[in-house]
Amino acid sequence: MKILLACEESQAVCKEFRKLGHEAYSCDILECSGGHPEWHLQEDLTEILKEKWDMIIAFPPCTYLTVTGNRWFNIEKYGDKARQRHKDRDEAIKFFMMIANAECEKIAIENPVGIMSTSWRRPNQVIQPYQFGHTARKATCLWLSGLPELVPTEVVEPKIITLKNGKTFSEDYMKGVKRSKAGEASNSRSKTYIGIAKAMASQWG
Ligand SMILES: C[S@@+](CC[C@H](N)C(=O)[O-])C[C@H]1O[C@@H](n2cnc3c(N)ncnc32)[C@H](O)[C@@H]1O
């Protein structure tokens, strides 16, 4: 199958589909970090989506779509900054829906819990890395069309850290926070878990 991994610079899922013999390509405005530039389309997704694809799996930016940043949208409190954030959110919704409405029979869109559930529709499935062999906890929504829900491949106990104030976080998440405080790129936290990448390729390929 000719498969597009949209908004994927890590090539995590692309490489898993390639291993199974598919003609898979990652697309991102960033250079790829997965070591296979020959499979990477470094350009705006808008044009690439117009080509004929048998399957599209997309990981669109979630900065303005997640519920975690909701307080920054308060115009009374944050004025012009909040107004700009509303504009950015509208753009992010448009981008997400451009993928959802692409002419392709099989589409999966991945994003954290966020406003698309109300702005468009509820996701078909919410998966966790700990269902696919990782000890991390990170609710990840999948909006599917023409594809079945992913079946967990290896359920493990998530490693959870409880802070003094009683809040709980995945150990993996805390490591990510430390990495970004140390100045590492934020996209190091948005890379697809290898267990999920393998499940997508083996179950949808
Ligand atoms: C949430 S990250 C997804 C990362 C992905 N899970 C991975 O493993 O590489 C969103 C990605 O969308 C890319 N992106 C943003 N706008 C884009 C556009 N117009 N066309 C292509 N990629 C875009 C960003 O550069 C970023 O790498």
Side-chain angles (χ1 to χ4, degrees), residues 60-70 72-73 81-96 111-116 119:
C62 57
T63 313
Y64 301 108
L65 300 178
T66 50
V67 282
T68 45
N70 263 352
W72 301 111
F73 286 85
K81 275 191 183 160
R83 270 184 211 101
Q84 182 58 46
R85 236 180 148 81
H86 278 277
K87 278 190 198 155
D88 292 337
R89 178 176 270 186
D90 289 346
E91 284 302 312
I93 293 173
K94 252 195 234 165
F95 188 74
F96 188 109
N111 232 229
V113 177
I115 59 151
M116 292 315 296
S119 170

Side-chain angles (χ1 to χ4, degrees), residues 7-11 27-30 43-45 59-62 95 190-192:
C7 301
E8 188 185 62
E9 60 76 28
S10 72
Q11 300 189 299
C27 165
D28 202 293
I29 44 176
L30 299 179
E43 46 191 297
D44 192 316
L45 178 65
F59 309 88
C62 57
F95 188 74
S190 62
K191 291 190 198 309
T192 309

Side-chain angles (χ1 to χ4, degrees), residues 8 10-13 16 59 110 127-140 150 153 170-176 179 188-201:
E8 188 185 62
S10 72
Q11 300 189 299
V13 188
E16 294 305 323
F59 309 88
E110 186 252 40
I127 57 169
Q128 288 280 356
Y130 62 73
Q131 297 173 307
F132 299 88
H134 301 269
T135 54
R137 186 181 67 177
K138 184 187 176 194
T140 303
L150 279 188
T153 49
S170 163
E171 185 185 71
D172 196 68
Y173 173 82
M174 294 307 285
K175 278 187 195 156
R179 279 200 299 271
S188 65
R189 276 184 289 146
S190 62
K191 291 190 198 309
T192 309
Y193 286 90
I194 190 77
I196 295 177
K198 281 184 186 298
M200 286 176 169

